[in-house]
Amino acid sequence: MKSFTFWNYTRVVFGLEAEKELPSYIPLLGKKVLLHYGVGSIKKIGLYDVVVKALKDAGVEWLELGGVKPNPRLSLVHEGIDLCRKEGVTGILAVGGGSVIDSAKAIAAGVKYEGDVWDFYAGKAQPKETLPVGVVLTIPAAGSETSGSSVVTKEEGQLKRGITYDILRPQFAILNPKWTLSLPWYQTACGISDMLAHVMERYFTTVPHVELTDRMAEGVMRTIIHQAYRLKENPDDIDARSEIMWAGTVAHNDLLGTGREGDWTSHGIEHEISGIYDLAHGAGLSIVFPAWLKYVLPKRTEKIAQFAHRVFGVDYYFDNPEETAREGIRRLEQFYRDMGLPVRLKEAGIDGSRIREMAEKTRDGKRPVGSFVQLSTDDIEHILTLALE
Amino acid sequence: MKSFTFWNYTRVVFGLEAEKELPSYIPLLGKKVLLHYGVGSIKKIGLYDVVVKALKDAGVEWLELGGVKPNPRLSLVHEGIDLCRKEGVTGILAVGGGSVIDSAKAIAAGVKYEGDVWDFYAGKAQPKETLPVGVVLTIPAAGSETSGSSVVTKEEGQLKRGITYDILRPQFAILNPKWTLSLPWYQTACGISDMLAHVMERYFTTVPHVELTDRMAEGVMRTIIHQAYRLKENPDDIDARSEIMWAGTVAHNDLLGTGREGDWTSHGIEHEISGIYDLAHGAGLSIVFPAWLKYVLPKRTEKIAQFAHRVFGVDYYFDNPEETAREGIRRLEQFYRDMGLPVRLKEAGIDGSRIREMAEKTRDGKRPVGSFVQLSTDDIEHILTLALE
């Protein structure tokens, strides 16, 4: 086990009437709140009215900035920062999924920073202070509701970059599975793919003596997969929605990463795909992950076999662990297919013409990529080629 | 899944040099710190000197109060409260195991309360404010280093009572497995029994649709049991010490209790045993738990069979789940025996003369006891009788 620090201070309120607690949490955002949301689905499902009433009940001033799109854009973040400064905003209430929350975190950090907020994402500066952020979650996926992570896309150069700092964690997160009932199936499936990836990327490590987090991660993965099938069968199953929603948070609150060194290569490669093609993040992950596993399998057979055995119940072949590992990857791929997700680039309408470019951008110049297995640009190109068709 | 709130804000620093971070965390306790510890083992292992140096490096004033014994006493808590008030203490640094931390929490809450701190434990008042508490942990067991729980014994009437409030969580916890290497085996085993009980008491619930927390709990229990055997084989195994130490925290940080209703009857019954006989808490639990499981088995066969199958790998007998469940209890008992813990009252030198009294005190008048199965005083008497020999 590696040394670590763990600090997750987000207050979680979970339940079928969770937003009733909202007025008592809003004051954590100060006296003037920016209500930040997406392209309007919160109005369709009636959540906007609930939140506005809570803001009134809390007795705070508020203004709003909607329009966050999937793969949130830097330009809207800049707009939010200007607005907050001009209006003297004291805190941000993000109502939506990961994109809205990530955008809110970027604004919250940018307001308190003299330079360009993109400096954080380009690795040129670290946020030291932020406005407080609160969350009402509508899409279980990114885990951003309690994580310190934020991913933003800079339109110029189609650069999608993520950062993680404890001070970016929201002050509170309201989780009501009811608001996820109206999600279209594809979006539900993409969220499931994202949370599963968050666990897998912590799981596949070379750090030894991590049984505790291994076994917890395996339990979370088994649950996500099982409950996903239940939900596919009946998208109105509120119990399965509940399990999936809480799993999405647990997958990325970083407890499962304690004492380990994760490998975020798949997320990195996927960011280049969805940065260029504007594919849903979860659909990019279902394409990248099996290809990445196939490519690293010869070097890390035992851990992938453990995954196959403990998560998918594949027999462990003592005389041929590779067979076990391969069968695990096959079942993972089958799981994605069963959820209606693409597992090849071509299935998502993407050809091979920009594979080299994506491989180069993943490396971002000279950054080393990968800890489970370190990868060169050529390796990443191979993985994307495996993922092609 | 039930509605819940979850808020665990303790900063955890884990690793073989974790206390190097101590000077940067001490300022969270303010400018005048009470160093609180036990009966001297921290001096024997050299930790006292490390902590004193850290206090000096942090540049705070400090004074000390040692002498906390297992099953921490109310009289010392009163002494600590008086001392803190007289000296204007701003925060408490607890260095030791659960007893020291629980005592520190009681002092921290008592200082800010006009009445007698026992009011909290007697259920007559709730703490609204406390001094900040920091922890350097030496015994993995109680999980008090990040939990909101505190258990104190009132000498008059031999009353041992526990409370749980989020505001009792420590501000930080320094966890270095190195300091646990010198623990005598019996104390190590008692700690393991305590943390296992914390998971089991959350696990045995009648709340449906809790797969996520079920599976995480099963993973934590498997790990505790496996690593405990490794440690029994070689108490100097620092990797096993690390797993056990972090497991002890995870077992009681309450993530595993989210969405569930736990059943703390075994802890309650045990408190009456160790309140009267001053038995180690973990040794009391290894006596009570199998007896409690045997008694409730006819009403809750499936959940106990699931425990047997998933935690101990017992075959699930589809035509006879009770057999599976019984075998699980047998293996749990065997595990305790293998760890050198008593599984009957008589093995701990306790006869049956005060069983009725303990049963009555567990009920504490008219309180309902038990949620997995509700128990009357007669039921508890039966359980203690099953545990006798």
Side-chain angles (χ1 to χ4, degrees), chain B residues 246-285:
Chain B
W246 190 218
T249 304
V250 170
H252 207 34
N253 72 0
D254 213 28
L255 183 70
L256 301 181
T258 53
R260 314 170 68 93
E261 183 178 357
D263 187 321
W264 298 87
T265 308
S266 298
H267 254 80
I269 299 174
E270 196 297 312
H271 282 178
E272 302 315 328
I273 301 175
S274 59
I276 294 177
Y277 295 101
D278 217 15
L279 180 69
H281 181 48
L285 288 166

mmCIF file of all heavy atoms in Angstrom, chain B residues 246-285:
data_model
loop_
_atom_site.group_PDB
_atom_site.id
_atom_site.type_symbol
_atom_site.label_atom_id
_atom_site.label_comp_id
_atom_site.label_asym_id
_atom_site.label_seq_id
_atom_site.Cartn_x
_atom_site.Cartn_y
_atom_site.Cartn_z
ATOM 1 N N TRP B 246 -6.125 0.451 7.872
ATOM 2 C CA TRP B 246 -7.046 1.215 7.027
ATOM 3 C C TRP B 246 -8.440 0.579 7.063
ATOM 4 O O TRP B 246 -9.459 1.267 7.057
ATOM 5 C CB TRP B 246 -6.485 1.332 5.617
ATOM 6 C CG TRP B 246 -7.189 2.275 4.687
ATOM 7 C CD1 TRP B 246 -7.400 2.072 3.359
ATOM 8 C CD2 TRP B 246 -7.753 3.579 4.967
ATOM 9 N NE1 TRP B 246 -8.049 3.157 2.801
ATOM 10 C CE2 TRP B 246 -8.283 4.082 3.769
ATOM 11 C CE3 TRP B 246 -7.872 4.351 6.127
ATOM 12 C CZ2 TRP B 246 -8.923 5.327 3.682
ATOM 13 C CZ3 TRP B 246 -8.508 5.583 6.050
ATOM 14 C CH2 TRP B 246 -9.016 6.064 4.843
ATOM 15 N N ALA B 247 -8.486 -0.743 7.155
ATOM 16 C CA ALA B 247 -9.779 -1.429 7.271
ATOM 17 C C ALA B 247 -10.527 -0.989 8.525
ATOM 18 O O ALA B 247 -11.746 -0.805 8.501
ATOM 19 C CB ALA B 247 -9.586 -2.948 7.282
ATOM 20 N N GLY B 248 -9.790 -0.793 9.600
ATOM 21 C CA GLY B 248 -10.424 -0.371 10.849
ATOM 22 C C GLY B 248 -11.106 0.980 10.721
ATOM 23 O O GLY B 248 -12.156 1.232 11.316
ATOM 24 N N THR B 249 -10.491 1.864 9.923
ATOM 25 C CA THR B 249 -11.099 3.176 9.693
ATOM 26 C C THR B 249 -12.308 3.053 8.773
ATOM 27 O O THR B 249 -13.387 3.577 9.066
ATOM 28 C CB THR B 249 -10.063 4.135 9.063
ATOM 29 O OG1 THR B 249 -8.920 4.187 9.907
ATOM 30 C CG2 THR B 249 -10.639 5.528 8.888
ATOM 31 N N VAL B 250 -12.124 2.339 7.666
ATOM 32 C CA VAL B 250 -13.204 2.190 6.684
ATOM 33 C C VAL B 250 -14.422 1.500 7.314
ATOM 34 O O VAL B 250 -15.566 1.822 7.004
ATOM 35 C CB VAL B 250 -12.691 1.407 5.455
ATOM 36 C CG1 VAL B 250 -13.836 1.020 4.530
ATOM 37 C CG2 VAL B 250 -11.643 2.234 4.699
ATOM 38 N N ALA B 251 -14.141 0.558 8.217
ATOM 39 C CA ALA B 251 -15.223 -0.196 8.853
ATOM 40 C C ALA B 251 -16.191 0.707 9.611
ATOM 41 O O ALA B 251 -17.350 0.357 9.800
ATOM 42 C CB ALA B 251 -14.636 -1.228 9.820
ATOM 43 N N HIS B 252 -15.709 1.876 10.024
ATOM 44 C CA HIS B 252 -16.534 2.687 10.922
ATOM 45 C C HIS B 252 -16.640 4.143 10.466
ATOM 46 O O HIS B 252 -17.089 4.994 11.234
ATOM 47 C CB HIS B 252 -15.962 2.615 12.347
ATOM 48 C CG HIS B 252 -16.971 2.834 13.429
ATOM 49 N ND1 HIS B 252 -18.287 2.420 13.337
ATOM 50 C CD2 HIS B 252 -16.870 3.432 14.643
ATOM 51 C CE1 HIS B 252 -18.925 2.758 14.450
ATOM 52 N NE2 HIS B 252 -18.098 3.383 15.238
ATOM 53 N N ASN B 253 -16.219 4.440 9.214
ATOM 54 C CA ASN B 253 -16.365 5.833 8.756
ATOM 55 C C ASN B 253 -17.792 6.092 8.290
ATOM 56 O O ASN B 253 -18.144 7.188 7.913
ATOM 57 C CB ASN B 253 -15.337 6.187 7.678
ATOM 58 C CG ASN B 253 -15.618 5.538 6.335
ATOM 59 O OD1 ASN B 253 -16.590 4.801 6.174
ATOM 60 N ND2 ASN B 253 -14.772 5.794 5.369
ATOM 61 N N ASP B 254 -18.576 5.042 8.264
ATOM 62 C CA ASP B 254 -20.011 5.017 8.007
ATOM 63 C C ASP B 254 -20.416 4.983 6.539
ATOM 64 O O ASP B 254 -21.604 4.946 6.229
ATOM 65 C CB ASP B 254 -20.747 6.162 8.697
ATOM 66 C CG ASP B 254 -22.132 5.703 9.105
ATOM 67 O OD1 ASP B 254 -22.294 4.498 9.352
ATOM 68 O OD2 ASP B 254 -23.061 6.513 9.137
ATOM 69 N N LEU B 255 -19.461 4.949 5.614
ATOM 70 C CA LEU B 255 -19.834 4.730 4.221
ATOM 71 C C LEU B 255 -20.574 3.403 4.079
ATOM 72 O O LEU B 255 -21.552 3.290 3.336
ATOM 73 C CB LEU B 255 -18.569 4.721 3.342
ATOM 74 C CG LEU B 255 -18.855 4.572 1.855
ATOM 75 C CD1 LEU B 255 -19.501 5.839 1.305
ATOM 76 C CD2 LEU B 255 -17.584 4.262 1.078
ATOM 77 N N LEU B 256 -20.108 2.383 4.817
ATOM 78 C CA LEU B 256 -20.716 1.056 4.719
ATOM 79 C C LEU B 256 -22.108 1.019 5.347
ATOM 80 O O LEU B 256 -22.834 0.046 5.185
ATOM 81 C CB LEU B 256 -19.821 0.007 5.381
ATOM 82 C CG LEU B 256 -18.403 -0.115 4.799
ATOM 83 C CD1 LEU B 256 -17.622 -1.195 5.528
ATOM 84 C CD2 LEU B 256 -18.448 -0.415 3.307
ATOM 85 N N GLY B 257 -22.463 2.062 6.051
ATOM 86 C CA GLY B 257 -23.794 2.119 6.650
ATOM 87 C C GLY B 257 -24.781 2.963 5.862
ATOM 88 O O GLY B 257 -25.957 3.033 6.219
ATOM 89 N N THR B 258 -24.321 3.570 4.766
ATOM 90 C CA THR B 258 -25.201 4.475 4.021
ATOM 91 C C THR B 258 -26.378 3.721 3.403
ATOM 92 O O THR B 258 -26.202 2.684 2.772
ATOM 93 C CB THR B 258 -24.436 5.211 2.898
ATOM 94 O OG1 THR B 258 -23.753 4.260 2.089
ATOM 95 C CG2 THR B 258 -23.451 6.204 3.476
ATOM 96 N N GLY B 259 -27.565 4.252 3.606
ATOM 97 C CA GLY B 259 -28.770 3.665 3.020
ATOM 98 C C GLY B 259 -29.309 2.462 3.767
ATOM 99 O O GLY B 259 -30.273 1.845 3.324
ATOM 100 N N ARG B 260 -28.672 2.111 4.873
ATOM 101 C CA ARG B 260 -29.050 0.916 5.615
ATOM 102 C C ARG B 260 -29.503 1.306 7.019
ATOM 103 O O ARG B 260 -29.246 2.406 7.481
ATOM 104 C CB ARG B 260 -27.842 -0.018 5.759
ATOM 105 C CG ARG B 260 -27.064 -0.210 4.486
ATOM 106 C CD ARG B 260 -25.762 -0.946 4.731
ATOM 107 N NE ARG B 260 -25.965 -2.309 5.116
ATOM 108 C CZ ARG B 260 -25.984 -3.346 4.266
ATOM 109 N NH1 ARG B 260 -25.786 -3.136 2.976
ATOM 110 N NH2 ARG B 260 -26.190 -4.571 4.696
ATOM 111 N N GLU B 261 -30.112 0.338 7.698
ATOM 112 C CA GLU B 261 -30.322 0.499 9.127
ATOM 113 C C GLU B 261 -29.546 -0.608 9.816
ATOM 114 O O GLU B 261 -29.880 -1.786 9.661
ATOM 115 C CB GLU B 261 -31.815 0.411 9.479
ATOM 116 C CG GLU B 261 -32.041 0.658 10.942
ATOM 117 C CD GLU B 261 -33.524 0.619 11.309
ATOM 118 O OE1 GLU B 261 -34.356 0.465 10.397
ATOM 119 O OE2 GLU B 261 -33.821 0.723 12.507
ATOM 120 N N GLY B 262 -28.496 -0.253 10.507
ATOM 121 C CA GLY B 262 -27.682 -1.257 11.180
ATOM 122 C C GLY B 262 -28.363 -1.785 12.424
ATOM 123 O O GLY B 262 -29.414 -1.301 12.829
ATOM 124 N N ASP B 263 -27.770 -2.798 12.999
ATOM 125 C CA ASP B 263 -28.291 -3.352 14.248
ATOM 126 C C ASP B 263 -27.128 -3.459 15.234
ATOM 127 O O ASP B 263 -26.241 -4.288 15.076
ATOM 128 C CB ASP B 263 -28.908 -4.728 14.006
ATOM 129 C CG ASP B 263 -29.598 -5.248 15.260
ATOM 130 O OD1 ASP B 263 -29.049 -5.036 16.367
ATOM 131 O OD2 ASP B 263 -30.673 -5.843 15.145
ATOM 132 N N TRP B 264 -27.149 -2.590 16.232
ATOM 133 C CA TRP B 264 -26.018 -2.465 17.154
ATOM 134 C C TRP B 264 -26.245 -3.229 18.453
ATOM 135 O O TRP B 264 -25.590 -2.968 19.466
ATOM 136 C CB TRP B 264 -25.739 -0.974 17.413
ATOM 137 C CG TRP B 264 -25.357 -0.312 16.128
ATOM 138 C CD1 TRP B 264 -26.199 0.231 15.199
ATOM 139 C CD2 TRP B 264 -24.046 -0.223 15.564
ATOM 140 N NE1 TRP B 264 -25.487 0.661 14.101
ATOM 141 C CE2 TRP B 264 -24.171 0.408 14.306
ATOM 142 C CE3 TRP B 264 -22.769 -0.605 16.015
ATOM 143 C CZ2 TRP B 264 -23.066 0.646 13.477
ATOM 144 C CZ3 TRP B 264 -21.682 -0.354 15.206
ATOM 145 C CH2 TRP B 264 -21.834 0.268 13.949
ATOM 146 N N THR B 265 -27.134 -4.223 18.394
ATOM 147 C CA THR B 265 -27.434 -4.975 19.611
ATOM 148 C C THR B 265 -26.194 -5.644 20.205
ATOM 149 O O THR B 265 -25.986 -5.612 21.418
ATOM 150 C CB THR B 265 -28.485 -6.065 19.301
ATOM 151 O OG1 THR B 265 -29.583 -5.448 18.656
ATOM 152 C CG2 THR B 265 -28.937 -6.748 20.572
ATOM 153 N N SER B 266 -25.377 -6.231 19.355
ATOM 154 C CA SER B 266 -24.211 -6.949 19.879
ATOM 155 C C SER B 266 -23.285 -5.995 20.609
ATOM 156 O O SER B 266 -22.758 -6.317 21.681
ATOM 157 C CB SER B 266 -23.466 -7.645 18.745
ATOM 158 O OG SER B 266 -24.310 -8.596 18.148
ATOM 159 N N HIS B 267 -23.060 -4.808 20.022
ATOM 160 C CA HIS B 267 -22.261 -3.806 20.720
ATOM 161 C C HIS B 267 -22.921 -3.428 22.052
ATOM 162 O O HIS B 267 -22.250 -3.275 23.064
ATOM 163 C CB HIS B 267 -22.069 -2.565 19.844
ATOM 164 C CG HIS B 267 -20.688 -2.446 19.280
ATOM 165 N ND1 HIS B 267 -20.285 -3.160 18.169
ATOM 166 C CD2 HIS B 267 -19.604 -1.730 19.675
ATOM 167 C CE1 HIS B 267 -19.011 -2.871 17.904
ATOM 168 N NE2 HIS B 267 -18.574 -2.005 18.794
ATOM 169 N N GLY B 268 -24.248 -3.291 22.017
ATOM 170 C CA GLY B 268 -24.965 -2.927 23.234
ATOM 171 C C GLY B 268 -24.816 -3.975 24.325
ATOM 172 O O GLY B 268 -24.502 -3.648 25.478
ATOM 173 N N ILE B 269 -25.015 -5.237 23.955
ATOM 174 C CA ILE B 269 -24.871 -6.322 24.949
ATOM 175 C C ILE B 269 -23.435 -6.354 25.465
ATOM 176 O O ILE B 269 -23.177 -6.463 26.656
ATOM 177 C CB ILE B 269 -25.260 -7.690 24.332
ATOM 178 C CG1 ILE B 269 -26.730 -7.680 23.873
ATOM 179 C CG2 ILE B 269 -24.998 -8.817 25.322
ATOM 180 C CD1 ILE B 269 -27.163 -8.945 23.126
ATOM 181 N N GLU B 270 -22.508 -6.208 24.530
ATOM 182 C CA GLU B 270 -21.091 -6.255 24.928
ATOM 183 C C GLU B 270 -20.740 -5.137 25.891
ATOM 184 O O GLU B 270 -19.973 -5.338 26.833
ATOM 185 C CB GLU B 270 -20.202 -6.204 23.687
ATOM 186 C CG GLU B 270 -18.764 -6.620 23.930
ATOM 187 C CD GLU B 270 -18.021 -5.716 24.886
ATOM 188 O OE1 GLU B 270 -18.068 -4.466 24.730
ATOM 189 O OE2 GLU B 270 -17.375 -6.244 25.827
ATOM 190 N N HIS B 271 -21.311 -3.954 25.652
ATOM 191 C CA HIS B 271 -21.023 -2.843 26.568
ATOM 192 C C HIS B 271 -21.409 -3.189 28.005
ATOM 193 O O HIS B 271 -20.742 -2.772 28.954
ATOM 194 C CB HIS B 271 -21.764 -1.573 26.114
ATOM 195 C CG HIS B 271 -21.105 -0.876 24.972
ATOM 196 N ND1 HIS B 271 -21.613 0.259 24.384
ATOM 197 C CD2 HIS B 271 -19.956 -1.142 24.297
ATOM 198 C CE1 HIS B 271 -20.810 0.645 23.398
ATOM 199 N NE2 HIS B 271 -19.813 -0.188 23.326
ATOM 200 N N GLU B 272 -22.471 -3.951 28.143
ATOM 201 C CA GLU B 272 -22.876 -4.341 29.505
ATOM 202 C C GLU B 272 -21.894 -5.340 30.106
ATOM 203 O O GLU B 272 -21.602 -5.281 31.301
ATOM 204 C CB GLU B 272 -24.296 -4.912 29.507
ATOM 205 C CG GLU B 272 -25.359 -3.956 28.961
ATOM 206 C CD GLU B 272 -25.224 -2.521 29.488
ATOM 207 O OE1 GLU B 272 -24.789 -2.339 30.642
ATOM 208 O OE2 GLU B 272 -25.525 -1.582 28.726
ATOM 209 N N ILE B 273 -21.384 -6.233 29.270
ATOM 210 C CA ILE B 273 -20.389 -7.192 29.791
ATOM 211 C C ILE B 273 -19.124 -6.446 30.206
ATOM 212 O O ILE B 273 -18.656 -6.557 31.341
ATOM 213 C CB ILE B 273 -20.030 -8.257 28.723
ATOM 214 C CG1 ILE B 273 -21.287 -9.025 28.278
ATOM 215 C CG2 ILE B 273 -18.986 -9.227 29.269
ATOM 216 C CD1 ILE B 273 -21.035 -9.999 27.135
ATOM 217 N N SER B 274 -18.574 -5.643 29.269
ATOM 218 C CA SER B 274 -17.288 -5.004 29.586
ATOM 219 C C SER B 274 -17.474 -3.862 30.570
ATOM 220 O O SER B 274 -16.525 -3.492 31.271
ATOM 221 C CB SER B 274 -16.579 -4.537 28.313
ATOM 222 O OG SER B 274 -17.356 -3.618 27.587
ATOM 223 N N GLY B 275 -18.685 -3.314 30.667
ATOM 224 C CA GLY B 275 -18.948 -2.307 31.689
ATOM 225 C C GLY B 275 -18.830 -2.907 33.081
ATOM 226 O O GLY B 275 -18.251 -2.310 33.987
ATOM 227 N N ILE B 276 -19.342 -4.126 33.240
ATOM 228 C CA ILE B 276 -19.295 -4.776 34.550
ATOM 229 C C ILE B 276 -17.956 -5.467 34.793
ATOM 230 O O ILE B 276 -17.339 -5.320 35.835
ATOM 231 C CB ILE B 276 -20.447 -5.814 34.678
ATOM 232 C CG1 ILE B 276 -21.793 -5.085 34.681
ATOM 233 C CG2 ILE B 276 -20.262 -6.683 35.920
ATOM 234 C CD1 ILE B 276 -23.001 -6.006 34.724
ATOM 235 N N TYR B 277 -17.483 -6.212 33.795
ATOM 236 C CA TYR B 277 -16.322 -7.082 34.038
ATOM 237 C C TYR B 277 -15.003 -6.499 33.550
ATOM 238 O O TYR B 277 -13.955 -7.098 33.716
ATOM 239 C CB TYR B 277 -16.548 -8.445 33.406
ATOM 240 C CG TYR B 277 -17.687 -9.206 34.039
ATOM 241 C CD1 TYR B 277 -18.945 -9.263 33.436
ATOM 242 C CD2 TYR B 277 -17.512 -9.862 35.266
ATOM 243 C CE1 TYR B 277 -19.994 -9.950 34.014
ATOM 244 C CE2 TYR B 277 -18.562 -10.565 35.858
ATOM 245 C CZ TYR B 277 -19.809 -10.600 35.225
ATOM 246 O OH TYR B 277 -20.840 -11.288 35.805
ATOM 247 N N ASP B 278 -15.046 -5.337 32.909
ATOM 248 C CA ASP B 278 -13.836 -4.704 32.397
ATOM 249 C C ASP B 278 -13.058 -5.637 31.459
ATOM 250 O O ASP B 278 -11.834 -5.666 31.437
ATOM 251 C CB ASP B 278 -12.935 -4.213 33.550
ATOM 252 C CG ASP B 278 -12.271 -2.887 33.161
ATOM 253 O OD1 ASP B 278 -12.730 -2.268 32.184
ATOM 254 O OD2 ASP B 278 -11.290 -2.499 33.808
ATOM 255 N N LEU B 279 -13.784 -6.420 30.709
ATOM 256 C CA LEU B 279 -13.237 -7.268 29.647
ATOM 257 C C LEU B 279 -12.905 -6.374 28.445
ATOM 258 O O LEU B 279 -13.548 -5.353 28.238
ATOM 259 C CB LEU B 279 -14.337 -8.263 29.250
ATOM 260 C CG LEU B 279 -14.069 -9.293 28.166
ATOM 261 C CD1 LEU B 279 -13.063 -10.334 28.663
ATOM 262 C CD2 LEU B 279 -15.385 -9.980 27.777
ATOM 263 N N ALA B 280 -11.891 -6.752 27.656
ATOM 264 C CA ALA B 280 -11.621 -5.979 26.435
ATOM 265 C C ALA B 280 -12.836 -6.060 25.514
ATOM 266 O O ALA B 280 -13.443 -7.121 25.350
ATOM 267 C CB ALA B 280 -10.390 -6.524 25.725
ATOM 268 N N HIS B 281 -13.169 -4.940 24.915
ATOM 269 C CA HIS B 281 -14.365 -4.825 24.080
ATOM 270 C C HIS B 281 -14.391 -5.883 22.969
ATOM 271 O O HIS B 281 -15.399 -6.561 22.746
ATOM 272 C CB HIS B 281 -14.385 -3.405 23.493
ATOM 273 C CG HIS B 281 -15.545 -3.089 22.633
ATOM 274 N ND1 HIS B 281 -16.858 -3.354 22.994
ATOM 275 C CD2 HIS B 281 -15.605 -2.513 21.398
ATOM 276 C CE1 HIS B 281 -17.667 -2.948 22.021
ATOM 277 N NE2 HIS B 281 -16.932 -2.445 21.046
ATOM 278 N N GLY B 282 -13.256 -6.048 22.286
ATOM 279 C CA GLY B 282 -13.193 -7.012 21.178
ATOM 280 C C GLY B 282 -13.417 -8.441 21.647
ATOM 281 O O GLY B 282 -13.994 -9.262 20.918
ATOM 282 N N ALA B 283 -12.969 -8.742 22.849
ATOM 283 C CA ALA B 283 -13.161 -10.083 23.399
ATOM 284 C C ALA B 283 -14.609 -10.296 23.807
ATOM 285 O O ALA B 283 -15.135 -11.412 23.719
ATOM 286 C CB ALA B 283 -12.228 -10.291 24.584
ATOM 287 N N GLY B 284 -15.255 -9.242 24.229
ATOM 288 C CA GLY B 284 -16.683 -9.345 24.526
ATOM 289 C C GLY B 284 -17.475 -9.577 23.242
ATOM 290 O O GLY B 284 -18.420 -10.373 23.214
ATOM 291 N N LEU B 285 -17.068 -8.909 22.168
ATOM 292 C CA LEU B 285 -17.782 -9.046 20.893
ATOM 293 C C LEU B 285 -17.651 -10.457 20.316
ATOM 294 O O LEU B 285 -18.601 -10.991 19.738
ATOM 295 C CB LEU B 285 -17.249 -8.023 19.887
ATOM 296 C CG LEU B 285 -17.666 -6.580 20.173
ATOM 297 C CD1 LEU B 285 -16.821 -5.619 19.333
ATOM 298 C CD2 LEU B 285 -19.149 -6.365 19.895
#
